[in-house]
C-alpha cells in the first residue's frame, strides 16, 4: 500500500486560527487556507515567533500575494497582490469568502521557527504544512504546534 499525501507531502492543522505552527526544521512552507462565509470580509494577520509559546512574537511583513474565491468550488482562484505586509484584508464580497496565503520557511527571521495566522473576524484558518522534511506515517507525524 502506497503512502497517501498526509505524512508524505503535507501535515495539517484544521483549527489553526491564532495557533503557532512549527515551520523551520519541519517543512519547507505552510499554506494557510481561510474561510469566512457571508460576504463580510475579514482581516488576517501573519506573525512569527521563536517557539510555540510565542517568544519574540512579531508581525511577519512578507505577504505580497494571496488568492481568493467563493470557497464552494463554483469559481476559480483570483490572484491578488499588495505591498509587502503582515495583513491580508478580504473584501466584503462572496468572491473573497475563501483566501489562501503561502509562507516559505526561508521567509522567517533568523532564530524564528513558528508562524501563525489570526483572523480578526470569525474566519476559519487551516494550516497545511507542505514539502515535509521528514516523511512519516500519519500516526507518527509530530504535532504541528510542538
Amino acid at each position: 500500500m502506497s503512502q497517501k499525501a498526509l505524512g508524505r507531502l503535507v501535515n495539517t492543522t484544521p483549527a489553526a486560527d491564532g495557533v503557532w505552527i512549527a515551520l523551520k526544521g519541519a517543512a519547507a512552507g505552510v499554506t494557510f487556507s481561510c474561510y469566512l462565509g457571508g460576504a463580510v470580509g475579514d482581516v488576517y494577520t501573519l506573525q512569527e515567533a521563536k517557539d510555540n509559546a510565542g517568544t519574540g512574537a512579531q508581525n511577519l511583513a512578507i505577504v505580497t500575494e494571496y488568492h481568493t474565491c467563493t470557497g464552494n468550488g463554483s469559481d476559480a482562484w483570483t490572484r491578488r497582490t499588495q505591498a509587502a505586509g503582515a495583513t491580508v484584508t478580504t473584501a466584503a464580497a462572496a468572491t473573497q469568502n475563501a483566501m489562501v496565503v503561502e509562507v516559505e520557511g526561508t521567509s522567517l527571521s533568523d532564530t524564528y521557527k513558528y508562524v501563525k495566522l489570526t483572523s480578526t473576524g470569525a474566519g476559519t484558518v487551516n494550516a497545511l504544512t507542505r514539502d515535509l522534511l521528514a516523511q512519516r506515517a500519519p500516526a507518527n507525524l509530530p504535532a504541528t504546534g510542538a
Side-chain angles (χ1 to χ4, degrees):
M1 178 180 196
S2 65
Q3 187 176 358
K4 308 271 194 265
L6 182 63
R8 183 173 56 87
L9 301 174
V10 299
N11 195 357
T12 184
T13 306
D17 186 13
V19 174
W20 291 110
I21 304 296
L23 197 50
K24 283 197 174 171
V30 61
T31 300
F32 288 106
S33 177
C34 308
Y35 183 79
L36 179 58
V40 296
D42 205 347
V43 177
Y44 300 92
T45 302
L46 180 65
Q47 292 187 302
E48 65 179 350
K50 295 181 179 191
D51 57 36
N52 64 355
T55 302
Q58 61 188 18
N59 284 352
L60 183 57
I62 54 108
V63 179
T64 58
E65 92 172 4
Y66 60 98
H67 291 78
T68 62
C69 73
T70 61
N72 64 10
S74 66
D75 58 334
W77 290 101
T78 298
R79 179 179 178 261
R80 302 186 185 279
T81 60
Q82 65 180 30
T87 60
V88 171
T89 301
T90 57
T95 56
Q96 293 193 32
N97 283 346
M99 188 275 294
V100 167
V101 64
E102 300 197 59
V103 179
E104 300 302 317
T106 54
S107 299
L108 275 66
S109 302
D110 287 345
T111 72
Y112 284 73
K113 298 179 181 181
Y114 290 77
V115 293
K116 75 174 177 179
L117 191 71
T118 304
S119 164
T120 58
T124 61
V125 177
N126 180 355
L128 291 159
T129 48
R130 56 180 171 68
D131 304 318
L132 302 178
L133 300 179
Q135 299 176 359
R136 300 180 168 96
N140 296 326
L141 286 169
T144 56

